[in-house]
Amino acid sequence: MYDWLIVGAGFAGSVLAERLANERNERVLLIDRRNHIGGNAYDRYDENGLLIHQYGPHIFHTNSKQIFDYLSRFTEWRFYEHRVLAEVDGMLVPIPINLDTVNKLYGLNLTPEQLQDWFAARAEKPGEIRTSEDVVVSAVGRELYEKFFRGYTRKQWGLDPSELDKSVTSRVPTRTNRDDRYFNDEFQFMPKHGYTRMFEKMVSHPNIHVMTQTDYEDVRKTIPHRRVIYTGPIDEYFKFQFGRLPYRSLRFEHVTLDKSWHQPVGVVNYPQTQDYTRVTEYKHLTGQEHAKTALTYEYPSAEGDPYYPIPKAENQELFKKYERLALATPDVWFVGRLATYRYYNMDQIVGQALATFRRIGESVPVGADSLGVQVIRSKAALAS
Ligand code: FAD
Ligand code: UDP
């Protein structure tokens, strides 16, 4: 009899498997319907021996020393600060928009102070910042919004920024200095030998049994277990009984070129042209030395694997219906990006999983953890 059946071997499932096995000496069956562990962070060597990310570029960044230290048990790190260029009006310019972006695009020579005034003269102040359009238009004005954000967002989400929650474009800051890093976080590193190696180390424990190519449906009635941690889509768990939660999908086109380099930085975004949103060149991220180079083109799509929960009020309302069902489901914990229907980064999922583990240990009922994450607890656990 397993103490836990954990559905999904991504960050949420693997961190919890590791904690439960190592700290509580419990027996865990960790399953994934895919043929590998690591969830969307899975990376692999392609047929040319180039390390690529199967599900698009994953760059680790966090402000939490606790989360960084925890993952450091399973990997060494490679210092890497992510930089992105956007192809706008035929030029490659930094995104997030910064001093160099504006100077290059408009042939100006502004100082940071002058750029502040330049933005202020163009920014439109809506009464309340509610949507992803409001966020950008209120910071840099409509012209830059249209050049950098409107087209990209329509492509990525199939929605206009005015239809999306403000949290989406708020992920990308605006700067008046020359800082061209994509993220502001204190810790910005890549796992030195890749994510999959890190996951292998995390789940390598005599109490953890891993089964890939195994769906929850295949085992839930046949393999005895006491409790479940479910990290798949929450609407699927409940047989879509209130209707489907919308997720945005992507098609990844992986390409290898017979030359050393393709582009000057790890990612180039295409907000104005092309059907793909961005192109990733992995050697910038991984530091791998190789005569060839591997790229991924991302084509957004409504069909396919669920990659992005779509931040919109009506979707959140539908999620809340499923969340209520989850709360009333004994002995099942819902954790992770798909099960809690939130657009979380990897570090936030690690934080959510560690917080869930603490609650399992303390039998503490529902509550917000340090990241403000609402962790769903089972009825049985609430009663205990
Ligand atoms: P997942 O990684 O999705 O794992 C869930 C697993 O559950 C999957 O492997 C799935 O196969 C399995 N599963 C689902 N249902 C079942 C079932 N019924 N039976 C068996 N198995 C099941 N975050 C960052 O911090 N930095 C980035 O640069 C970054 N880039 C990203 C780029 C893209 C294109 C995407 C899509 C995401 C990116 N993220 C990034 C987010 C990151 O992928 C997630 O935060 C993280 O992987 C979520 O982990 P998880 O365990 O919740 O879910
Ligand atoms: N975005 C944009 N143009 C860009 C970069 C980002 O419009 O050049 C918007 C877009 O809506 C995107 C969101 O900002 O989905 C968040 O960007 P991020 O790079 O964080 O997306 P992710 O890496 O999660 O796909």
Side-chain angles (χ1 to χ4, degrees), residues 83-233:
R83 288 183 167 77
V84 178
L85 294 171
E87 193 195 75
V88 171
D89 298 348
M91 285 178 254
L92 286 181
V93 291
I95 172 89
I97 293 170
N98 71 6
L99 184 63
D100 289 321
T101 311
V102 173
N103 280 339
K104 188 164 178 190
L105 214 50
Y106 293 97
L108 298 171
N109 200 13
L110 301 177
T111 63
E113 295 70 33
Q114 288 170 325
L115 181 57
Q116 258 176 30
D117 296 341
W118 195 91
F119 283 152
R122 285 156 182 80
E124 293 173 20
K125 293 289 172 200
E128 184 199 353
I129 295 182
R130 217 171 33 81
T131 72
S132 270
E133 175 181 313
D134 299 340
V135 171
V136 185
V137 169
S138 68
V140 299
R142 197 156 288 277
E143 189 167 303
L144 287 177
Y145 159 74
E146 286 176 2
K147 286 185 194 298
F148 286 84
F149 286 88
R150 194 177 61 183
Y152 187 104
T153 301
R154 284 181 174 178
K155 212 171 6 176
Q156 168 72 8
W157 298 95
L159 294 169
D160 190 80
S162 61
E163 300 172 278
L164 275 171
D165 189 80
K166 64 181 176 192
S167 58
V168 177
T169 52
S170 299
R171 292 167 60 88
V172 184
T174 302
R175 303 199 180 105
T176 52
N177 60 19
R178 301 191 62 195
D179 185 352
D180 62 348
R181 297 171 310 155
Y182 203 67
F183 305 113
N184 291 325
D185 300 52
E186 186 177 345
F187 302 94
Q188 304 191 29
F189 293 93
M190 295 291 287
K192 191 167 175 185
H193 306 290
Y195 288 95
T196 303
R197 279 290 185 79
M198 180 179 79
F199 279 99
E200 280 167 359
K201 204 159 171 208
M202 200 182 279
V203 302
S204 144
H205 187 285
N207 284 3
I208 302 176
H209 183 59
V210 179
M211 280 170 73
T212 53
Q213 298 186 83
T214 305
D215 198 284
Y216 182 44
E217 280 304 317
D218 303 338
V219 295
R220 71 187 183 92
K221 294 218 175 102
T222 48
I223 301 188
H225 56 274
R226 284 185 226 285
R227 288 177 284 184
V228 173
I229 288 167
Y230 180 84
T231 76

Side-chain angles (χ1 to χ4, degrees), residues 6-14 31-34 36-42 55-61 82 156 171 183 195 199 211 213-217 230-233 236 248 250 252 278 298 305-308 335-340 342-350 352:
I6 302 188
V7 182
F11 268 102
S14 299
I31 64 163
D32 204 297
R33 55 163 56 134
R34 290 170 166 165
H36 58 74
I37 58 171
N40 286 340
Y42 170 71
Y55 307 99
H58 278 70
I59 295 112
F60 184 77
H61 55 101
H82 191 45
Q156 168 72 8
R171 292 167 60 88
F183 305 113
Y195 288 95
F199 279 99
M211 280 170 73
Q213 298 186 83
T214 305
D215 198 284
Y216 182 44
E217 280 304 317
Y230 180 84
T231 76
E236 182 183 330
R248 192 67 174 160
L250 292 168
F252 300 100
R278 59 186 177 187
E298 289 173 57
D305 280 359
Y307 291 122
Y308 291 86
V335 192
R337 178 151 140 147
L338 300 171
T340 58
R342 285 282 176 95
Y343 186 179
Y344 283 135
N345 292 326
M346 296 181 281
D347 65 321
Q348 294 173 302
I349 296 297
V350 173
Q352 192 189 47

